[in-house]
Amino acid sequence: MWGSRMALRRLQKIAVAPLSIKEGVPSNVQREMSTLQRVYVTRQIPPEGLKILKESGQVQFELWGSDDVPVPRAELLKKVKGVDGLLCVLTEKIDAELLDSAGPNLKVLSTMSVGFDHLSLDELKKRGIRVGYTPEVLTDAVAELTVALLLTTSRRLIEATHEAKTGGWGTWRTLWLCGHELANSTVGILGLGRIGVAIAERLAPFKVKKFIYTDVAPRPELARAINAEYVSFDELAKQSDFLAVCCALTPETKEICNKELFSKMKNTSIFINTSRGGVVNQEDLYEALAAGQIAGAGLDVTVPEPLPTNHPLFTLKNCVILPHIASASYTTRNAMSALAANNLLLGLRGEPMIKELKL
């Protein structure tokens, strides 16, 4: 597993070496080598990735010059025409329409994300386009944020801060703002991968009694690392005092967290999702929280994103919502951009990518 700091240093060192035109190379080959491949970058990505692209000597690239506003769809469809490579983020839907606009020159897509539900994988495979992505480098940041969100939700820190600021802090009271602690609890993990393991490793010092998990199949090697027990989906719901969702969004996991799941959970349970918003039926979650069917929920991901400020979930004191910031550390985002840039350049050279999604 790559830590983000180690990964960034490693990616800086192995950044694809610049192309050079050597003496003695025939003039026709020189002309061919000096014709740089065209790349479009859909966002103002962190500086380490841009530095790698600029210093490679391999590509000429154009980018959407804003980090605040995604490139408009019409602009994106226009800019991708004829490109050899595309570096995108998860706000861009890469589908048949876009790939048709890009045309046959497009050989490589590199996404600065670990998730790939924004990509039409069937279309990419059909057209023989290679895909790079950025897993592992964000594991530590996501695990840290998940733990922070879990503690914030379970110990009601947002409510407590509000009370302190607005005059609600009066005399000491025996049960005021009481929450739920991790000591002697059962922590459930839905989807045991690198991030799930990293979350459990960070929670273990809190004297958690037991870790349980469910997945499409048992993951004995990963489970051994955290001494976790494989259980059924129903048992995960029934036993978990804290339930952390770490699974990818697939047709099988879409809205898997719904009223059936919430109805089986304890009324003292805390639900945490830092994976993808689409795995949760938000209407069912609202009903479960409003009725006290579960004690609280912490979400870093929603549908849609951003979640409208008038959404019912925002009216609940027992729901903490963050604006999808799990990987938002300077080190991790730079490591992600560096990996995405290296994946793109290696793919354009026809070489193995550092992290390639096998279609």
Side-chain angles (χ1 to χ4, degrees):
M1 185 185 296
W2 292 9
S4 56
R5 291 183 187 278
M6 184 182 300
L8 181 55
R9 289 194 293 269
R10 182 175 169 186
L11 289 162
Q12 288 166 333
K13 289 178 182 177
I14 66 172
V16 176
L19 290 175
S20 60
I21 298 179
K22 301 177 180 178
E23 292 182 7
V25 177
S27 58
N28 64 323
V29 177
Q30 289 190 20
R31 283 195 299 273
E32 183 178 343
M33 292 176 68
S34 64
T35 303
L36 301 181
Q37 293 171 295
R38 288 183 56 223
V39 166
Y40 187 67
V41 183
T42 69
R43 190 64 70 93
Q44 182 76 42
I45 62 171
E48 288 297 334
L50 290 177
K51 180 181 178 184
I52 288 169
L53 292 179
K54 288 174 182 175
E55 295 181 356
S56 71
Q58 180 182 342
V59 296
Q60 53 178 321
F61 69 92
E62 185 179 357
L63 77 162
W64 175 248
S66 172
D67 188 32
D68 296 323
V69 180
V71 56
R73 181 71 174 182
E75 176 79 358
L76 179 60
L77 293 175
K78 182 173 69 175
K79 292 296 186 181
V80 298
K81 290 184 184 299
V83 297
D84 301 286
L86 181 63
L87 195 161
C88 72
V89 296
L90 51 78
T91 53
E92 278 67 70
K93 185 172 181 59
I94 309 301
D95 56 10
E97 180 189 35
L98 184 138
L99 297 175
D100 286 340
S101 293
N105 284 352
L106 183 60
K107 309 176 192 71
V108 178
L109 169 75
S110 180
T111 180
M112 192 183 124
S113 65
V114 63
F116 42 83
D117 46 283
H118 58 302
L119 310 180
S120 296
L121 299 183
D122 289 343
E123 289 291 335
L124 290 160
K125 181 178 180 179
K126 183 170 69 176
R127 298 162 196 252
I129 298 170
R130 295 173 64 188
V131 178
Y133 69 135
T134 59
E136 300 186 19
V137 294
L138 48 63
T139 298
D140 288 337
V142 174
E144 287 179 8
L145 188 282
T146 303
V147 172
L149 180 57
L150 186 154
L151 290 169
T152 297
T153 305
S154 64
R155 296 305 301 269
R156 302 171 65 179
L157 299 189
I158 303 300
E159 286 182 76
T161 300
H162 176 77
E163 293 295 321
K165 286 181 177 179
T166 59
W169 185 3
T171 185
W172 185 84
R173 284 163 272 176
T174 57
L175 291 176
W176 186 56
L177 289 174
C178 282
H180 302 276
E181 59 190 64
L182 279 157
N184 298 309
S185 68
T186 296
V187 173
I189 299 170
L190 176 55
L192 186 64
R194 291 179 297 270
I195 291 173
V197 169
I199 291 168
E201 289 172 340
R202 285 159 174 78
L203 291 178
F206 286 87
K207 299 181 181 178
V208 169
K209 179 177 67 177
K210 183 169 68 169
F211 290 103
I212 59 176
Y213 77 99
T214 196
D215 211 316
V216 290
R219 313 274 313 260
E221 188 173 334
L222 288 172
R224 274 195 296 272
I226 55 172
N227 195 27
E229 176 190 346
Y230 178 78
V231 297
S232 68
F233 187 64
D234 280 356
E235 283 302 312
L236 187 80
K238 292 174 183 176
Q239 293 187 36
S240 296
D241 296 300
F242 300 88
L243 178 53
V245 181
C246 305
C247 61
L249 177 59
T250 66
E252 292 72 30
T253 62
K254 183 175 173 57
E255 297 192 355
I256 193 172
C257 300
N258 53 34
K259 61 183 177 182
E260 185 176 353
L261 172 78
F262 301 132
S263 68
K264 294 171 183 172
M265 293 175 67
K266 304 172 186 178
N267 62 8
T268 54
S269 292
I270 303 294
F271 177 83
I272 303 294
N273 184 20
T274 54
S275 60
R276 285 290 182 266
V279 304
V280 179
N281 182 307
Q282 291 175 171
E283 289 72 24
D284 290 353
L285 177 60
Y286 172 81
E287 294 297 333
L289 290 167
Q293 201 166 54
I294 61 174
L299 310 174
D300 185 50
V301 286
T302 60
V303 177
E305 292 184 356
L307 192 65
T309 55
N310 63 352
H311 194 281
L313 284 171
F314 279 122
T315 67
L316 300 174
K317 289 184 177 180
N318 58 345
C319 187
V320 177
I321 301 173
L322 303 179
H324 202 155
I325 58 168
S327 66
S329 76
Y330 291 111
T331 303
T332 290
R333 291 287 173 84
N334 269 298
M336 290 171 70
S337 72
L339 179 52
N342 276 312
N343 282 339
L344 179 75
L345 296 174
L346 288 165
L348 288 171
R349 292 188 186 188
E351 298 175 14
M353 295 182 188
I354 300 168
K355 293 293 176 182
E356 183 167 358
L357 190 61
K358 300 300 181 184
L359 303 179

